[in-house]
Amino acid sequence: MKPWSLRLASFVVVVSAALPASATPNFPSAIQRDLQLNAPPQCTLCHNNPAGGTGTVTQPFGMKMRSRGLVPEDEGSLQTALTALQAEGSDVDNDGVPDIQELRLGTDPNGAGEETPSYGCGSSISPVSPRRALPDASVILSGTLMAIGAIFLRRRRNARTERAENEG
């Protein structure tokens, strides 16, 4: 491997390892289990898009959970935050129905009781006020690294072609 390609490969490995996880896939099933729901809630309960992702926790319920200690990849912090919301009777949409009760009733705690979330594969919760989902930082970085790699490969191919033409 050439020195520049070795450096590029090392850079990609280091940067990829340093990226935060883009979602906590076990949280919906943990919420279902802890609150004894019929089905796990969608990621849009907390995130501004169905795929979740780093930096996308913008829904009121998600923000409230984070303010009560929720951290990614930590089911213990999820249980602690759910317990805190239930104990304080949190009602992020101020509709008079506590958030945890809304989840158990199958309504969206972010939506003033008017939104009914769909549960299960392929469903989604429509946010009360649509927000434009921003790309995840890892997606942007991956795309940038791929573009840089493509530029290097193209330059290398062009240099080989030029060298072959000069020799022939």
Side-chain angles (χ1 to χ4, degrees):
M1 206 180 247
K2 302 255 182 186
W4 67 266
S5 58
L6 182 60
R7 278 184 257 150
L8 178 62
S10 298
F11 175 76
V12 170
V13 169
V14 169
V15 170
S16 298
L19 288 174
S22 60
T24 306
N26 60 320
F27 276 7
S29 60
I31 292 171
Q32 177 188 10
R33 181 192 64 235
D34 292 349
L35 299 181
Q36 299 172 347
L37 305 177
N38 291 330
Q42 294 296 304
C43 295
T44 51
L45 175 65
C46 297
H47 297 268
N48 67 4
N49 68 66
T54 304
T56 64
V57 176
T58 59
Q59 295 286 20
F61 182 80
M63 299 296 286
K64 186 75 167 199
M65 290 286 287
R66 289 182 70 189
S67 76
R68 296 305 179 260
L70 179 65
V71 294
E73 306 295 333
D74 182 359
E75 271 194 46
S77 73
L78 175 69
Q79 292 169 342
T80 299
L82 288 170
T83 301
L85 264 59
Q86 184 164 10
E88 68 192 45
S90 172
D91 181 16
V92 295
D93 60 5
N94 297 312
D95 66 351
V97 182
D99 300 331
I100 302 302
Q101 185 178 350
E102 284 203 59
L103 287 172
R104 288 183 174 137
L105 292 171
T107 58
D108 183 358
N110 296 304
E114 58 210 37
E115 299 283 333
T116 303
S118 296
Y119 292 103
C121 185
S123 61
S124 63
I125 299 173
S126 300
V128 175
S129 57
R131 294 177 181 95
R132 183 174 171 217
L134 298 175
D136 189 80
S138 61
V139 172
I140 293 170
L141 182 61
S142 297
T144 303
L145 292 175
M146 287 173 57
I148 290 170
I151 290 168
F152 279 119
L153 290 174
R154 185 177 200 132
R155 284 185 178 180
R156 185 176 181 184
R157 188 174 0 151
N158 288 345
R160 283 184 183 167
T161 303
E162 189 177 307
R163 205 174 318 126
E165 287 173 358
N166 290 338
E167 290 175 0

